Amino acid sequence: MEQNDQFNSVELSTFYLGDALCGIDILKVQEINKQMDCTRVPQAPDHVKGVLNLRGRILTVLDLGRKMGLSPFEYSVDSRNIITQSDGELIGLLVDRINNVIVAETDKIETPPSNISGIRGEFFNGVYKTENEIIGILNTEKALND
Amino acid sequence: METIHTTETGIGSAAPGKEVKNSSLRVDLNLLDSLMALAGELVLSRNQLVQSVSGKNFKAFETATQQIDRITTELQETIMSTRMQSIDTVFDTLPSLVKELSGSSSKSIDLSIEGNHVELDKTILESLGGPLATLVKFAVSFGIETKKIRKQSGKSETGQLSVCAFHEASQVNIELSHDGIGIDIEELTRLAVLQNLITKQQAEAMGVKDQAALLFTPGLVLTAGDDTFALDAVKLGLDKLGGTIEIDTNPRAGMLFNIKLPLTLAIIPSQIVSVGEEKYAIPQANLKELLRIPAGEVKNRIQTVGDAPVVRLRGDLLPLLDSAAVLNVQKTFIHPNDRKTHPDQRKNIADRRSKDLLKSDTVMKADMGSDRDKRKNTDDRRCRAASALNIAVVSAGEFRFGLVVSEFHDSEEIVVKPLGRHLMACRGFAGATLMGDGKVALILDVLELAQVADLKAFDDLVETRSDELEDSQDEKNTGDDTAILIFQNAETERFAVPLNLVDRIEMVDTGAIEEAAGKHVIQYRGRNLPLYGIEQVAKVGQRPKNDQTAVIVFKMDNREFGLLATPPVDSVETEVNLDQKTFKQPGIDGSTIINGHTTLMVNVPDLIRTVEPAWFDESTAA
């Protein structure tokens, strides 16, 4: 049963947005840090927190929860900024708390329900159930589109 | 990282897929050697720095810092120069292009190229090819005549086409000229009207320069024999590079295109300003001057035209744009007492005592009775240095305006970085840059800001309104349009007085009006201001008893007096066709129709003469 073959399993970097446990493919994550001091961009949409200097590169920081219909991001000691690679540019995602890296077996990923802890199902590619948790696998295209 | 997203700039075959083209770069070996040397120095300095920090040697630390500072600057310059390429990569393609074009027609063309050595940033060069090729094609097809025609018109058979590049004031100029036939500007304007791109009225209102620029209007199609041309892409392509193009044309003797381009787009000198709490960069290329209006002068220098604030700058009226309002940023100021940043409550740039140019000498004041305003009326409210206005005078394209910012900082060379795709919809920014403290600052795109604020309309407003203003002041009542003040007495009746007679308008509490010796007066600035109602003289309705009454103050023969009126009091510019029959009576000259309402024109001198005959006896006796 233990199959950790790279072809039929995917490593998920998981994190909490409010009560929802979400995961994204770890290969899309460049790093996770605590840099959250953004420069606000006037006229930007509500879910765009601002721009950030990451070692000389300027990246857009998104309030991921807000984008997906949750309440605005609030800073806490657990908050983290997940830097992801998307369409050739770096994008920072503000999350409330990070969780473990979880290996998900591809054939056990199910289609998402219409709602996971307040986030609409359309933002997920699927759900993966561990012994005591349900992880929503983010549809990054949908969640990170402008 | 690429700083410019080159998009399709040329038309047709002139610019095939430039985005992928030329992704490698040829670099001079000497340049590479010096880069290597600099890298070596950098490593050495790094070692020194690390040692000085671990040994807590401050002196060594200082030396290392200085060295790194110097090396960084040199490194930056050298790396930048690797991106600089001579313009001949673009110019080299021109002879074959001209040969190809002239070969297919009975034209003989002599192409001369100058300024091959002029260097430009690679990104600019790449996007320059398309527009330039289009212009050359246009010149050959449209400008230079066939041998036969040239001979007939007394020119040499061979047409001269010259392209020349040169440096001028940190810009690169490219001039393309020929001695064929130029564009006939009148013909061009007619064509633009014919193709429904502009209206006839617009065309007539344009200056020659604007008319010539019609050549680049999107949608304009020129035909020369079998060839059709649309040159809008040329302008668009150059605009993206921060360049400009001008035309000089002579229908018989030829035409000249002058293109001005910045040397590089990656590093630009900028003025750093702050708006609210954030810092922004304004490119020096757009910046004309910095203006600081001391707090005490705000009410004299800043005026309004309608709702729009303007500043008087050496006799010109310059429209003002409040950057905090355009960017929708909370304004802040540093409180002089506790040195902390507080939100600024001020909504308007102009002081409430600033003159409104539309209202000539009238100063509108509301709620004079309330306590809050009594405080505000004390004379030097804006006396603190902190409430001075900082204005960056900028220009971009046809726009010239003042950008009101919270504070000026240093001028810095900044590295332009693009904004991410989520921020594409935000208008007014040319990109972002990193400041010395590691924070990100946005770069303001002056042209877009002007567009966001709809400054075009605003600009026209200033022009026309200041014209009107001059009219109303110079010609008084002789012009077609007269500035008049409309008000009511009884709420159903409308009255008007010429605006130039009005000194100012006050709102007073009705309770503050006193009665003495059969006259109504109000205490005002320590004096008694006599008040009159129209009903005292003319047979008109009574004023309703409201808490507040408007008082229109007139000054005649050194006497001040007020005319009681019922708000709203409004000023309009309109043609007055006076009907002197229907309503003519003492104090009333007659009637006119304004905005669909019969309005009685009050003859103020006549009115006063009727109620206070004694004044006039005195003044004539004296």
Side-chain angles (χ1 to χ4, degrees):
Chain A
M1 218 32 211
E2 271 293 311
Q3 281 182 311
N4 218 354
D5 226 3
Q6 68 178 94
F7 295 109
N8 47 24
S9 75
V10 55
E11 277 187 291
L12 295 175
S13 173
T14 65
F15 52 88
Y16 282 96
L17 289 173
D19 295 328
L21 182 60
C22 307
I24 53 176
D25 186 348
I26 203 162
L27 296 176
K28 286 187 179 147
V29 176
Q30 177 183 306
E31 65 183 273
I32 299 174
N33 62 28
K34 291 187 193 173
Q35 264 187 290
M36 277 167 243
D37 191 14
C38 306
T39 299
R40 197 180 80 87
V41 181
Q43 304 157 26
D46 286 339
H47 64 270
V48 177
K49 204 74 183 163
V51 285
L52 188 76
N53 168 17
L54 181 78
R55 296 184 296 276
R57 292 183 72 176
I58 290 176
L59 51 95
T60 313
V61 179
L62 300 185
D63 182 345
L64 189 60
R66 181 117 194 224
K67 165 83 190 183
M68 302 195 295
L70 299 178
S71 55
F73 171 78
E74 269 176 54
Y75 178 80
S76 76
V77 281
D78 290 328
S79 309
R80 291 292 183 279
N81 192 356
I82 302 184
I83 314 293
T84 58
Q85 192 87 39
S86 158
D87 266 355
E89 75 172 284
L90 289 180
I91 291 178
L93 305 174
L94 295 178
V95 301
D96 294 322
R97 184 153 61 91
I98 52 162
N99 202 25
N100 299 331
V101 174
I102 286 167
V103 181
E105 289 151 54
T106 326
D107 51 359
K108 287 197 178 165
I109 294 174
E110 300 165 21
T111 50
S114 64
N115 183 321
I116 300 178
S117 300
I119 301 174
R120 288 203 308 282
E122 56 176 339
F123 288 110
F124 297 103
N125 276 336
V127 287
Y128 183 74
K129 289 176 185 152
T130 61
E131 273 167 32
N132 40 21
E133 285 166 325
I134 298 177
I135 302 162
I137 300 167
L138 274 192
N139 176 349
T140 41
E141 245 164 63
K142 182 92 189 175
L144 302 189
N145 73 356
D146 38 344
Chain B
M1 182 184 287
E2 288 290 60
T3 54
I4 300 299
H5 296 285
T6 48
T7 43
E8 197 72 11
T9 51
I11 48 166
S13 60
K18 249 190 305 307
E19 294 193 31
V20 279
K21 197 178 97 185
N22 225 2
S23 54
S24 63
L25 180 67
R26 196 185 281 242
V27 180
D28 184 52
L29 201 58
N30 288 331
L31 209 55
L32 205 58
D33 284 346
S34 54
L35 269 178
M36 282 300 295
L38 280 169
E41 278 187 67
L42 193 64
V43 171
L44 281 179
S45 309
R46 196 257 329 258
N47 295 347
Q48 279 175 17
L49 191 66
V50 171
Q51 271 173 24
S52 70
V53 171
S54 59
K56 295 199 170 58
N57 182 346
F58 189 71
K59 193 146 180 136
F61 175 70
E62 239 179 12
T63 334
T65 318
Q66 272 172 10
Q67 276 197 30
I68 287 180
D69 181 38
R70 178 187 57 85
I71 296 168
T72 315
T73 314
E74 268 181 54
L75 201 59
Q76 182 193 359
E77 278 167 11
T78 321
I79 291 178
M80 280 311 300
S81 59
T82 60
R83 291 188 62 92
M84 299 297 269
Q85 292 202 306
S86 77
I87 202 164
D88 60 8
T89 49
V90 174
F91 280 2
D92 282 354
T93 61
L94 297 182
S96 58
L97 182 68
V98 170
K99 201 170 174 188
E100 187 188 318
L101 289 167
S102 58
S104 58
S105 61
S106 49
K107 293 178 183 178
S108 153
I109 296 165
D110 185 9
L111 175 71
S112 71
I113 293 177
E114 273 177 64
N116 265 326
H117 58 278
V118 171
E119 288 191 326
L120 269 168
D121 190 281
K122 185 171 163 283
T123 19
I124 296 181
L125 272 183
E126 281 169 5
S127 309
L128 183 63
L132 203 61
T134 311
L135 284 181
V136 167
K137 275 187 198 168
F138 176 72
V140 171
S141 313
F142 204 91
I144 294 171
E145 315 91 323
T146 56
K147 285 183 203 165
K148 209 168 141 195
I149 298 175
R150 285 185 71 90
K151 213 168 181 183
Q152 280 168 0
S153 50
K155 295 180 184 175
S156 72
E157 277 189 8
T158 307
Q160 295 293 329
L161 180 66
S162 90
V163 182
C164 130
F166 57 95
H167 278 284
E168 196 184 70
S170 79
Q171 281 188 316
V172 170
N173 282 247
I174 300 170
E175 285 188 350
L176 185 136
S177 61
H178 64 74
D179 64 350
I181 47 172
I183 291 278
D184 186 340
I185 290 180
E186 280 177 33
E187 195 68 40
L188 178 72
T189 316
R190 230 185 338 267
L191 197 66
V193 175
L194 206 70
Q195 296 185 6
N196 281 329
L197 298 170
I198 51 167
T199 65
K200 208 163 181 172
Q201 286 81 359
Q202 278 175 322
E204 279 162 9
M206 278 179 175
V208 179
K209 225 172 185 177
D210 287 339
Q211 287 180 338
L214 282 174
L215 191 60
F216 303 109
T217 322
L220 186 86
V221 179
L222 298 163
T223 25
D226 296 336
D227 292 326
T228 57
F229 279 95
L231 294 181
D232 58 324
V234 172
K235 176 117 169 66
L236 199 72
L238 293 173
D239 276 351
K240 281 195 184 127
L241 298 176
T244 57
I245 182 162
E246 278 179 18
I247 309 166
D248 193 7
T249 169
N250 179 334
R252 271 180 306 273
M255 196 157 176
L256 172 98
F257 292 100
N258 181 295
I259 300 172
K260 283 191 169 68
L261 290 168
L263 284 176
T264 174
L265 297 172
I267 294 191
I268 50 173
S270 296
Q271 170 71 40
I272 311 297
V273 300
S274 61
V275 179
E277 285 182 350
E278 309 277 9
K279 282 184 179 174
Y280 295 90
I282 302 175
Q284 287 284 3
N286 295 119
L287 197 67
K288 294 299 147 206
E289 57 186 302
L290 300 177
L291 205 62
R292 183 175 166 92
I293 306 221
E297 281 181 30
V298 167
K299 64 177 173 195
N300 299 328
R301 295 280 301 274
I302 310 289
Q303 297 166 336
T304 58
V305 174
D307 292 331
V310 294
V311 60
R312 262 188 199 285
L313 181 61
R314 291 185 287 278
D316 284 340
L317 286 184
L318 193 71
L320 283 181
L321 215 64
D322 187 355
S323 49
V326 180
L327 299 173
N328 198 10
V329 173
Q330 170 71 50
K331 267 194 263 193
T332 57
F333 72 103
I334 296 167
H335 198 283
N337 294 343
D338 57 9
R339 310 294 308 162
K340 281 186 190 144
T341 310
H342 293 270
D344 190 348
Q345 307 292 347
R346 244 156 49 203
K347 290 277 187 304
N348 299 320
I349 299 171
D351 196 288
R352 9 188 292 116
R353 288 161 297 178
S354 296
K355 242 187 189 177
D356 187 334
L357 296 174
L358 279 187
K359 301 198 170 77
S360 55
D361 283 339
T362 320
V363 180
M364 290 277 193
K365 281 184 183 163
D367 305 319
M368 207 191 73
S370 73
D371 281 352
R372 197 167 141 263
D373 280 69
K374 269 184 194 143
R375 179 176 61 83
K376 286 190 178 173
N377 274 333
T378 53
D379 248 1
D380 277 295
R381 203 165 59 82
R382 283 195 181 189
C383 57
R384 300 209 190 262
S387 47
L389 274 184
N390 293 317
I391 301 171
V393 180
V394 292
S395 77
E398 63 208 284
F399 299 107
R400 199 171 110 89
F401 59 96
L403 200 60
V404 180
V405 300
S406 307
E407 235 180 300
F408 292 133
H409 300 281
D410 292 340
S411 126
E412 279 179 32
E413 294 226 315
I414 57 165
V415 182
V416 185
K417 308 212 168 202
L419 286 172
R421 63 172 191 271
H422 293 86
L423 300 168
M424 283 303 160
C426 301
R427 299 192 60 205
F429 308 112
T433 188
L434 301 177
M435 306 304 306
D437 60 3
K439 284 204 82 174
V440 180
L442 295 164
I443 304 165
L444 296 180
D445 183 328
V446 172
L447 190 63
E448 254 184 28
L449 274 186
Q451 286 161 354
V452 169
D454 205 9
L455 204 68
K456 178 117 181 128
F458 184 85
D459 207 18
D460 292 345
L461 180 85
V462 172
E463 269 172 35
T464 53
R465 288 301 169 92
S466 51
D467 286 352
E468 280 172 25
L469 176 71
E470 276 161 25
D471 285 351
S472 65
Q473 281 181 340
D474 295 349
E475 302 174 19
K476 303 264 164 173
N477 293 339
T478 53
D480 286 338
D481 281 3
T482 316
I484 57 171
L485 196 70
I486 304 177
F487 58 96
Q488 298 173 354
N489 197 45
E491 270 168 346
T492 47
E493 283 173 317
R494 285 169 163 252
F495 296 88
V497 288
L499 189 57
N500 55 31
L501 294 178
V502 177
D503 189 51
R504 61 185 187 274
I505 297 161
E506 308 277 3
M507 290 297 292
V508 300
D509 285 342
T510 314
I513 300 177
E514 299 168 60
E515 210 173 326
K519 280 187 198 176
H520 292 286
V521 291
I522 188 163
Q523 306 245 337
Y524 177 67
R525 290 181 187 165
R527 277 174 298 163
N528 280 328
L529 183 73
L531 301 174
Y532 305 97
I534 302 174
E535 70 278 2
Q536 285 174 262
V537 177
K539 269 189 232 148
V540 296
Q542 288 287 326
R543 257 172 300 108
K545 295 227 180 303
N546 295 338
D547 290 348
Q548 292 239 313
T549 310
V551 173
I552 305 168
V553 182
F554 298 91
K555 225 179 212 168
M556 275 180 202
D557 294 330
N558 294 325
R559 281 178 190 274
E560 268 192 340
F561 58 91
L563 186 67
L564 291 164
T566 306
V569 179
D570 195 11
S571 70
V572 293
E573 301 233 351
T574 179
E575 200 176 338
V576 175
N577 292 317
L578 204 59
D579 171 0
Q580 297 194 328
K581 290 189 187 118
T582 324
F583 293 101
K584 174 85 179 165
Q585 53 173 308
I588 303 286
D589 262 350
S591 65
T592 184
I593 293 170
I594 296 169
N595 298 340
H597 292 281
T598 303
T599 306
L600 301 177
M601 288 296 291
V602 179
N603 184 335
V604 183
D606 191 34
L607 189 125
I608 290 307
R609 202 171 287 127
T610 317
V611 286
E612 295 286 355
W615 288 11
F616 291 86
D617 294 347
E618 279 171 33
S619 63
T620 44

